[in-house]
Amino acid sequence: MAFDIDMIKKVYANMAERVDKARELVGRPLTLSEKILYSHLWDGTPSQAFTRGKDYVDFAPDRVACQDATAQMALLQFMHAGKPKVAVPTTVHCDHLIQAKVGADKDLKRAKEQSNEVFDFLSSVSNKYGIGFWKPGAGIIHQVVLENYAFPGGMMIGTDSHTVNAGGLGMLAIGVGGADAVDVMSGMAWELKFPKLIGVKLTGKLSGWTAPKDVILKVAGILTVKGGTGAIVEYFGEGAEAMSCTGKGTICNMGAEVGATTSTFGYDDSMDRYLRATNRADVADEAAKMADYLTADKEVYANPETYFDQVIEINLSELEPHLNGPFTPDLATPISKMREEAEKNDWPLNIQVGLIGSCTNSSYEDISRSVSIAKQADEKKLKPKAKFTITPGSEQVRYTIERDGFIDTFDKIGATVFANACGPCIGMWDREGSEKQERNTIVHSFNRNFSKRADGNPNTLAFVGSPELVTALAIAGDLGFNPMTDKLINENGEEVMLDEPSGWELPEKGFAVEDAGYQAPAKDGSDVEVVVKEDSERLQLLAPFQPWDGENIMGAKLLIKAFGKCTTDHISMAGPWLRFRGHLDNISNNMLIGGVNAYNMETNKVKNQLTGEYGEVPAVAREYKAAGVPSIVVGDHNYGEGSSREHAAMEPRHLGVRVVLVKSFARIHETNLKKQGMLALTFANEADYDKIQENDTFNFIDLEEFAPDRQITIEVIHDDGSKDTVLANHSYNDGQIAWFKAGSALNLIAAASRKENA
């Protein structure tokens, strides 16, 4: 039986009336995305049609999910909000703080010892406030959500950008910062600009070496890392219906890499099969009754150009396996072209490690197709040339693949099975030799491959592919190997070829697990005590940010002008820094240490205008803050792409940065900045980015007139006394301006709670 079945039934009970009313208001057939959006309005039954890409809309998500790294700050903020219990079903998943090194058992044991204080904190807070808690080792948040909580037609938010994985079960699942999650957990509306819609029509059918992963790798190449910003990607067509539910999840998962708000698929038989296989026949039965409302109206998919803002068509029968990278997930290369591209770009052809699993590709189907390649390698006497690792997505998947003999097969080719956790995908990988920073190539089935992402080595070139392709490449040890055409030499000196992968969509014997790792919260948590030690290095209770004083910001100093790609990994690195995710002051010591200074093209070395000397970014920011001098960060396009981590917004706020001025923002990061009471501005004229000089001082001369749709005028004073006037745009509405004035969105929630309890 499903968690929260009564909630799911309530969603379905309201859906038909709300969708029918929305169709009447809009005056045309509706996409699936529109049906879910209009059926989750905060005000209930729709009363107006909304304009895509323009109107801010209040929504009522059905549930919230948090992973342990972001949950710390989210729950610290929730404690500050003054609520006795979460208002919607919420879960916390311990998956980010487990470092991969030796193997599952030893790595998990070490993580529990090193992060015991954090796990105990998350467990006790969850117990107190009615939150479901998934223990360390239970699995990766997105796989666990897909197995237990996702349902067709639902809306959820999660404090991780890959929350979108649940779109594989027909949800609108959206990655957000912790402050957004706190709003919903506190019983408030969640605000989102009504998204634009991108339709992806899938014709034909996957076969051979081509996998669902190749669909999103192809889409990433088409849309680039920012092409989906502000949009929902909705997949449809015969190719979509022929694909497994977990395959759909893989595609939705990596939709985060094109900047999309989320991605989704219409309800079909694959979802019904998956729900029943994961012991949720009750949800499948309810969804079957609502089938017409859980996919787009027929006219939409028949004439998609009429209903979507952009349409992409991909013939799966012609699609070739892809490898994307290095250093960006949108550099797409068909495997038949990889050797040519590698030689042209001087990418090392020798593969050192192949890694499969992660939240993107850790389903039973993924691992079964990979194990079919491993089985061939053993039978054909092929010894893998590269190291090979497997990261199961959940304890349920791990237990089931062990029962079915998959792990024994992997053992025969010398594979290492890591814990059911994020591990190398997020930089939690203690890779031997990475400190030497040697140039090398790895291949993995993860979602991101930014510089230093996996092992901290800026010279590791990471390429993203399907699990079965990664397995084949690890066996070959050659980046240019094409398993569809190339032969390998086995231990007997014979030429052999790998056969096409095969696998099972779902386990023939069903899923099995002894202990899934779930802890239900206390029915009444009022007596549960949450302890945060004052001298803790890992946890720190939050103090509210100061409200705006109502005056123009004058005399702000440039902290850094970031050059080129500046992701949340550059702004607030993960890896070893994850241990400080619950301690704002400590983790602020990693603020922008990965950002490239446009004036010297170095990282973590910026000019301190108070002393004239160069220093580390956090240290210079702290000196400005101590002197009462506001500071500003300037950035390039798609600033803040990548993870949803709100630390990338909270750290600058904590260290005295008042304004972030860029050419363009990634959606989640822009919202996170707003939530923390920051000014998130974009150049009205992108060329003005080039006018910013290293010793500049900034005066925001009309901030006192801050209002929606009104540009902000910035006086930029140069070192020689000359000045430029720069106009900046913003996307704040009245409610978001109220966040700025109050010092943060959380300050408003806390004030409302105090008023309620007075």
Side-chain angles (χ1 to χ4, degrees):
M1 181 175 171
F3 288 93
D4 310 311
I5 185 63
D6 291 336
M7 177 270 283
I8 295 171
K9 288 180 177 179
K10 184 178 178 181
V11 171
Y12 288 161
N14 292 325
M15 196 167 195
E17 178 187 355
R18 294 179 179 182
V19 170
D20 290 345
K21 183 62 177 178
R23 191 185 292 111
E24 175 188 323
L25 289 167
V26 175
R28 57 167 173 75
L30 299 177
T31 66
L32 168 63
S33 302
E34 289 172 313
K35 289 181 179 182
I36 300 176
L37 290 168
Y38 277 107
S39 64
H40 283 83
L41 297 176
W42 178 255
D43 292 331
T45 303
S47 60
Q48 67 177 99
F50 297 105
T51 303
R52 299 177 191 170
K54 181 179 179 182
D55 292 336
Y56 280 98
V57 183
D58 286 341
F59 292 100
D62 302 313
R63 67 176 313 111
V64 176
C66 309
Q67 40 94 335
D68 50 357
T70 53
Q72 295 170 65
M73 198 58 69
L75 294 181
L76 285 164
Q77 291 179 87
F78 182 75
M79 291 167 64
H80 181 55
K83 300 289 183 178
K85 191 175 183 180
V86 291
V88 301
T90 301
T91 52
V92 167
H93 304 257
C94 294
D95 61 358
H96 273 57
L97 299 178
I98 302 168
Q99 187 180 49
K101 183 176 182 179
V102 180
D105 293 341
K106 291 183 178 178
D107 292 348
L108 182 59
K109 182 175 184 290
R110 187 175 71 254
K112 288 180 177 178
E113 293 170 352
Q114 292 177 343
S115 296
N116 181 62
E117 179 186 9
V118 173
F119 294 144
D120 284 350
F121 167 75
L122 294 173
S123 174
S124 62
V125 174
S126 297
N127 202 26
K128 183 175 183 65
Y129 293 108
I131 298 169
F133 181 71
W134 291 83
K135 303 172 187 177
I140 306 173
I141 175 173
H142 312 303
Q143 180 68 24
V144 173
V145 165
L146 196 71
E147 291 175 357
N148 294 278
Y149 299 111
F151 66 97
M155 175 186 277
M156 69 173 287
I157 61 171
T159 60
D160 189 288
S161 56
H162 294 104
T163 299
V164 295
N165 188 80
L169 251 175
M171 290 195 89
L172 288 190
I174 302 170
V176 300
D180 276 353
V182 171
D183 282 355
V184 177
M185 289 190 287
S186 299
M188 298 178 65
W190 174 64
E191 183 185 68
L192 177 71
K193 185 180 286 187
F194 205 83
K196 293 184 177 182
L197 300 177
I198 298 173
V200 180
K201 182 178 182 179
L202 303 179
T203 61
K205 187 177 181 180
L206 294 171
S207 63
W209 283 92
T210 310
K213 184 64 162 272
D214 298 305
V215 176
I216 186 57
L217 295 178
K218 176 72 172 180
V219 169
I222 295 170
L223 288 176
T224 77
V225 292
K226 62 179 182 178
T229 302
I232 293 175
V233 182
E234 185 171 325
Y235 293 84
F236 61 95
E238 60 181 355
E241 293 175 6
M243 200 179 295
S244 69
C245 175
T246 52
K248 293 177 172 72
T250 291
I251 293 170
C252 292
N253 182 297
M254 269 196 73
E257 272 49 76
V258 300
T261 301
T262 191
S263 303
T264 194
F265 285 78
Y267 183 66
D268 61 21
D269 289 343
S270 72
M271 297 183 192
D272 180 89
R273 293 192 296 272
Y274 187 74
L275 285 168
R276 296 183 189 281
T278 51
N279 298 313
R280 290 175 288 171
D282 45 358
V283 179
D285 291 342
E286 294 299 322
K289 301 173 188 175
M290 300 295 298
D292 289 343
Y293 289 90
L294 300 177
T295 190
D297 291 332
K298 293 180 180 179
E299 298 92 334
V300 172
Y301 294 161
N303 299 286
E305 291 81 4
T306 305
Y307 302 98
F308 291 98
D309 298 289
Q310 179 181 353
V311 177
I312 297 168
E313 184 168 337
I314 298 174
N315 185 340
L316 302 185
S317 300
E318 299 175 355
L319 182 64
E320 188 178 333
H322 276 61
L323 273 181
N324 284 26
F327 303 130
T328 184
D330 61 347
L331 183 56
T333 305
I335 190 62
S336 63
K337 304 289 185 184
M338 179 51 73
R339 185 175 300 280
E340 176 186 341
E341 288 298 308
E343 291 174 349
K344 183 171 68 176
N345 291 283
D346 192 30
W347 297 334
L349 285 167
N350 179 47
I351 297 171
Q352 292 198 0
V353 190
L355 308 98
I356 67 168
S358 87
C359 68
T360 322
N361 280 107
S362 56
S363 67
Y364 185 89
E365 180 182 39
D366 290 329
I367 297 178
S368 72
R369 285 174 63 84
S370 293
V371 85
S372 75
I373 305 301
K375 187 170 184 285
Q376 290 183 55
D378 179 55
E379 293 172 345
K380 297 183 180 186
K381 301 188 182 305
L382 289 167
K383 186 176 181 180
K385 300 287 179 57
K387 293 180 180 178
F388 186 62
T389 72
I390 302 102
T391 302
S394 69
E395 175 58 14
Q396 179 167 267
V397 166
R398 189 213 61 79
Y399 188 94
T400 305
I401 65 170
E402 182 178 44
R403 179 202 67 189
D404 292 349
F406 294 178
I407 291 180
D408 288 340
T409 300
F410 283 130
D411 282 344
K412 291 178 181 178
I413 65 166
T416 298
V417 179
F418 286 141
N420 313 320
C422 300
C425 183
I426 60 162
M428 288 295 280
W429 182 22
D430 188 357
R431 182 185 178 190
E432 185 178 353
S434 62
E435 72 283 353
K436 299 176 185 177
Q437 298 199 355
E438 296 173 343
R439 196 161 185 263
N440 73 103
T441 290
I442 65 173
V443 290
H444 61 57
S445 68
F446 307 160
N447 41 47
R448 292 194 175 133
N449 56 351
F450 302 141
S451 174
K452 300 192 279 189
R453 172 83 177 183
D455 61 2
N457 178 4
N459 299 312
T460 292
L461 285 70
F463 295 84
V464 183
S466 69
E468 47 267 61
L469 182 61
V470 168
T471 306
L473 290 170
I475 291 167
D478 179 3
L479 187 65
F481 175 69
N482 182 351
M484 297 185 292
T485 59
D486 297 347
K487 295 179 180 178
L488 296 170
I489 305 298
N490 71 5
E491 294 177 7
N492 297 335
E494 302 164 332
E495 284 190 341
V496 296
M497 282 190 72
L498 293 172
D499 301 323
E500 294 175 351
S502 61
W504 294 269
E505 176 183 347
L506 297 163
E508 291 182 331
K509 300 177 185 176
F511 285 106
V513 67
E514 286 186 349
D515 179 7
Y518 176 70
Q519 171 188 295
K523 291 183 178 180
D524 180 4
S526 57
D527 292 333
V528 176
E529 184 179 4
V530 178
V531 178
V532 176
K533 300 175 183 176
E534 287 190 17
D535 61 349
S536 172
E537 292 186 347
R538 301 290 300 269
L539 298 165
Q540 179 187 47
L541 293 176
L542 293 175
F545 291 130
Q546 289 297 310
W548 179 46
D549 61 9
E551 298 180 1
N552 291 330
I553 297 174
M554 305 294 285
K557 299 296 185 181
L558 178 68
L559 178 62
I560 184 174
K561 179 180 175 180
F563 175 83
K565 187 185 284 285
C566 193
T567 71
T568 49
D569 276 350
H570 295 90
I571 305 168
S572 176
M573 290 183 179
W577 289 95
L578 284 175
R579 68 186 185 276
F580 296 130
R581 282 286 179 87
H583 197 294
L584 181 56
D585 193 57
N586 282 347
I587 198 170
S588 292
N589 289 322
N590 79 359
M591 185 192 74
L592 278 160
I593 62 176
V596 176
N597 181 355
Y599 303 109
N600 57 18
M601 301 306 290
E602 296 186 50
T603 58
N604 205 23
K605 187 177 181 181
V606 295
K607 189 172 185 179
N608 182 336
Q609 293 190 46
L610 301 182
T611 65
E613 298 177 351
Y614 284 83
E616 297 178 345
V617 182
V620 174
R622 289 183 187 276
E623 288 198 40
Y624 287 152
K625 181 181 179 182
V629 176
S631 57
I632 173 174
V633 169
V634 173
D636 212 316
H637 277 298
N638 208 30
Y639 184 86
E641 75 170 274
S643 170
S644 69
R645 68 189 65 148
E646 66 183 335
H647 298 77
M650 295 186 78
E651 291 172 31
R653 181 74 165 101
H654 176 63
L655 295 187
V657 177
R658 301 289 299 278
V659 182
V660 179
L661 173 64
V662 300
K663 292 181 181 178
S664 65
F665 283 106
R667 175 190 64 85
I668 299 176
H669 188 62
E670 181 181 22
T671 300
N672 285 346
L673 290 169
K674 291 178 179 180
K675 287 277 185 177
Q676 301 304 332
M678 298 273 281
L679 269 183
L681 307 177
T682 56
F683 290 101
N685 179 3
E686 290 183 4
D688 286 343
Y689 170 90
D690 298 321
K691 294 179 180 178
I692 307 303
Q693 300 175 20
E694 190 171 29
N695 293 320
D696 282 349
T697 300
F698 299 78
N699 297 323
F700 296 78
I701 60 178
D702 55 3
L703 185 58
E704 293 173 341
E705 300 167 23
F706 191 18
D709 301 317
R710 181 188 177 98
Q711 290 181 320
I712 289 178
T713 306
I714 309 171
E715 191 176 68
V716 184
I717 312 296
H718 303 305
D719 201 29
D720 61 2
S722 64
K723 65 181 180 181
D724 281 302
T725 299
V726 170
L727 293 178
N729 297 328
H730 66 83
S731 60
Y732 288 76
N733 58 27
D734 286 325
Q736 294 168 347
I737 290 174
W739 301 342
F740 172 75
K741 291 180 177 179
S744 70
L746 184 58
N747 285 355
L748 286 181
I749 296 174
S753 294
R754 288 192 295 270
K755 190 174 181 181
E756 287 175 12
N757 298 327

